[in-house]
Amino acid sequence: MLERIPSIRKAPDEEYYVPGHRTCAGCGPALAYRLTAKAAGPNTIFVGPTGCMYVANTSYGCGPWRVPWIHAQITNGGAVASGIEAAFKVLARKKKYQGEIPHVIVFAGDGGAVDIGLQALSGMIYRGHDVLFICYDNESYANTGIQTSPTTPYGAWTTFTPSGPKVPEGKKLFPKDNPKIIAHGHPELKYVATASIGWPVDLMNKVRKGLNVEGPAYIHIQAPCPKGWQFPAEKTIEMAKLAVETGMFQLYEYENGEYKLSVKLEKRKPVAEYLKMQKRFAHLKPEHIEKLQAFVDAKCAEVGIMVPAVASV
């Protein structure tokens, strides 16, 4: 069993996601990967579906992992992980493998978890494989040019949802809520959580909790992308914190049919404070912001965040 990490000072010193990658400056997904690998430890196998954390990490035949890693197609991360987990169980049963069964973690972007890869993820959980599936959500198909994905927020500019006279708000659709889709439709699922790179100890402990349960677990990590969201690279952590403080992203665990909040908000900042720091929302008009605020208020209420949004003085 992996022990709970009490503080950032007492986090493991060893790194298993190390220099050698070519991610952008301020890359949120890279930090999410580093924290996940640090929490999981050396007895881990990562499955990496196609996406930013595959392409940027494996350029020129090198990679930044000190643990085994395998590339999967963007469609089949859950299926590849299922096969790895099942193979170790068979080898152990036949006494052809006598070591400690490794942790198996899928680390997929929102395309490989919420969109193209959702079928394989759902099948993995439905069959009850002992795998932790993590979505690092940078809210777009960032690797191929910042196209819209099912987790791109309403109103965001992407190369597929540009704002203009006919569609002034940019993206017209509200985002898919994958943690809730996963949580409420899979009887074999043991653990669901959301996490943020703005709360690193919380993130690492959720990774460890997901690995400690016997059976499938799912964690959805919001990972800000300076390039796609169009904010300065040094503002990544500030952006992650502001997402939670405004309710744009909610931090919680879902176990035994109940939501447990990870961060207690005394007050909630209005979403306008979050939007104004990102050029992807620069075209929005007051009516669009009001529409998004109402959506965020409702999503917060679903998980028990009842404090109203109040503008900073």
Side-chain angles (χ1 to χ4, degrees), residues 101-186:
I101 300 296
H103 305 303
V104 181
I105 301 177
V106 182
F107 202 82
D110 36 299
V114 183
D115 195 15
I116 301 175
L118 180 59
Q119 179 179 349
L121 162 60
S122 180
M124 181 203 87
I125 297 173
Y126 175 70
R127 294 187 298 270
H129 292 282
D130 190 9
V131 173
L132 171 59
F133 195 112
I134 294 177
C135 173
Y136 65 90
D137 186 2
N138 57 9
E139 300 180 354
S140 72
Y141 279 91
N143 171 57
T144 50
I146 321 298
Q147 293 90 10
T148 188
S149 90
T151 64
T152 304
Y154 164 82
W157 181 97
T158 71
T159 55
F160 280 11
T161 60
S163 62
K166 296 293 185 181
V167 187
E169 66 267 58
K171 186 181 180 185
K172 299 177 68 174
L173 301 175
F174 285 97
K176 188 187 293 186
D177 193 336
N178 215 47
K180 293 194 182 74
I181 292 172
I182 297 302
H184 296 284
H186 295 87

Side-chain angles (χ1 to χ4, degrees), residues 81-94:
S82 298
I84 294 171
E85 183 261 4
F88 271 98
K89 285 186 174 179
V90 170
L91 290 171
R93 187 174 69 244
K94 293 183 176 181

